[in-house]
Amino acid sequence: GTLHPACGYGTYKVGVVPASASAAAAGAEAAGATQRSATECVADALEVGYRFFDCAEFYGNEDEVGEAIAASGVPREDLYLASKCWTTTIFKGRAAVRMQVERTLAALGTEYVDLYCIHWPVPKKHCEAYLELQTLQAEGKIRSLGVSNYTVEDYDELVAHEGVTVPPAINQIEVNPFLYRKRTLAAFHERGVAIQAYRALRDGKAFDDGMVKAIAAKHSRTAAQVLGRWCVQHGVIYIPKSVLRTRMEENAKVFDFALDAGDMKALDSLTTSKAIDMFAELYAKCVNRGTPLDGSLEGVRQKFTCD
């Protein structure tokens, strides 16, 4: 195995808002803020001390991330670089996946990435895409393999697929107190899969929640730090994102305090059945997103572990 940082910097909607992502969902801090380039933001993140950078084909900014890394002077061995291939590439097949990994390596200015993931479990396509990642890993271009947005059932399908010999080490999914899928997290833990959390801070939309604010006041911390610390105490890899340097600094300060059992229980209780239902609907919409089957439920898994 390899070591994985407990906290990283997310690059989604940093400098670039993907065409199919809603600008309205860019996050609370975007309101009234001047959009900065990904190069500027990543340069700040590096200066603040972030060394794990979560990238993706879909994010559309890997060239700028690479420019910031090259200008920083930070040794490659001190960095943990991760990326993901998008649904459109997965749908096209193994050759397209290989080409995308090569593009990522060139953009980031590196001979290898520490982690590369399948972004969504595109029906009837994701297993073949993963097989190509295995080949690229054998060639030394990828250190660890992972997946993203996989249900337990998607994972089990993948590892049972003919030719899959390297189980994913990572699954990146949304995790926060408002979408705390206990059975799913437990199942992946049992399978030896580490969980990365995206939307750990819910794009700032939970900062005014009464429970979160009360716990933050109790510890003289910010809402963001409470949400981040909750992830850490659940053993989940925390990937905050901000385009503001002050927030980058704030978000990383989650290792010098602890939430007590009462705090954790209160935060654990914030997930509603409606939130679980909304997750299930979003999953069904997204697995074919951007592909020729976009908008259809063809091949989409109908029964899976939601909570």
Side-chain angles (χ1 to χ4, degrees):
T2 59
L3 294 176
H4 191 303
C7 176
Y9 180 75
T11 63
Y12 182 41
K13 295 179 183 174
V14 171
V16 176
V17 176
S20 61
S22 170
E29 71 180 31
T34 301
Q35 185 65 33
R36 305 171 67 218
S37 72
T39 304
E40 293 173 303
C41 295
V42 172
D44 276 352
L46 285 159
E47 289 182 7
V48 167
Y50 288 90
R51 292 296 181 265
F52 162 32
F53 291 88
D54 179 54
C55 308
E57 172 189 359
F58 181 63
Y59 301 171
N61 55 11
E62 288 186 331
D63 286 314
E64 291 183 278
V65 173
E67 290 171 6
I69 289 171
S72 72
V74 174
R76 175 63 183 90
E77 59 268 22
D78 291 347
L79 297 169
Y80 191 97
L81 303 179
S83 190
K84 304 176 275 295
C85 54
W86 187 237
T87 56
T88 48
T89 296
I90 297 164
F91 190 88
K92 290 174 184 175
R94 294 182 63 161
V97 170
R98 173 172 287 270
M99 288 179 62
Q100 180 54 44
V101 172
E102 296 285 4
R103 279 195 288 268
T104 289
L105 295 176
L108 297 179
T110 182
E111 294 181 353
Y112 68 93
V113 285
D114 297 277
L115 172 68
Y116 201 90
C117 298
I118 300 293
H119 209 142
W120 282 92
V122 179
K124 301 179 181 179
K125 301 289 185 178
H126 69 102
C127 295
E128 284 298 311
Y130 190 86
L131 288 176
E132 191 61 30
L133 297 188
Q134 279 191 168
T135 301
L136 288 158
Q137 182 187 43
E139 294 171 9
K141 296 178 180 180
I142 302 172
R143 293 284 173 88
S144 296
L145 305 182
V147 294
S148 180
N149 297 301
Y150 273 49
T151 64
V152 176
E153 292 76 13
D154 293 321
Y155 174 88
D156 288 346
E157 176 194 357
L158 175 64
V159 297
H161 188 79
E162 184 178 356
V164 172
T165 57
V166 182
I170 293 288
N171 186 18
Q172 184 182 108
I173 58 176
E174 179 177 348
V175 185
N176 55 63
F178 301 87
L179 190 59
Y180 179 35
R181 296 163 56 208
K182 298 179 186 179
R183 282 208 303 154
T184 292
L185 294 182
F188 278 108
H189 178 74
E190 290 170 2
R191 288 159 174 76
V193 179
I195 296 293
Q196 291 178 346
Y198 69 77
R199 291 195 82 232
L201 303 182
R202 296 195 76 238
D203 302 328
K205 294 170 185 171
F207 291 175
D208 290 326
D209 177 82
M211 180 67 69
V212 174
K213 288 173 68 175
I215 293 173
K218 171 182 171 181
H219 293 277
S220 298
R221 295 286 174 156
T222 66
Q225 289 166 341
V226 166
L227 294 173
R229 182 64 199 179
W230 177 88
C231 274
V232 169
Q233 288 186 215
H234 272 302
V236 173
I237 298 160
Y238 164 55
I239 311 176
K241 184 225 80 172
S242 178
V243 297
L244 304 176
R245 184 178 178 124
T246 53
R247 292 270 179 85
M248 295 177 198
E249 294 171 345
E250 171 192 331
N251 293 343
K253 294 177 180 177
V254 295
F255 299 103
D256 58 349
F257 77 107
L259 301 174
D260 61 38
D263 300 330
M264 293 296 288
K265 183 177 180 180
L267 292 169
D268 289 354
S269 71
L270 294 176
T271 297
T272 63
S273 59
K274 181 180 178 181
I276 298 296
D277 290 343
M278 288 178 65
F279 154 74
E281 292 174 9
L282 184 64
Y283 168 88
K285 290 178 181 177
C286 287
V287 289
N288 279 325
R289 182 178 174 187
T291 75
L293 298 178
D294 196 346
S296 83
L297 292 178
E298 183 174 335
V300 177
R301 194 181 298 281
Q302 298 300 307
K303 293 184 178 180
F304 52 89
T305 305
C306 296
D307 61 353

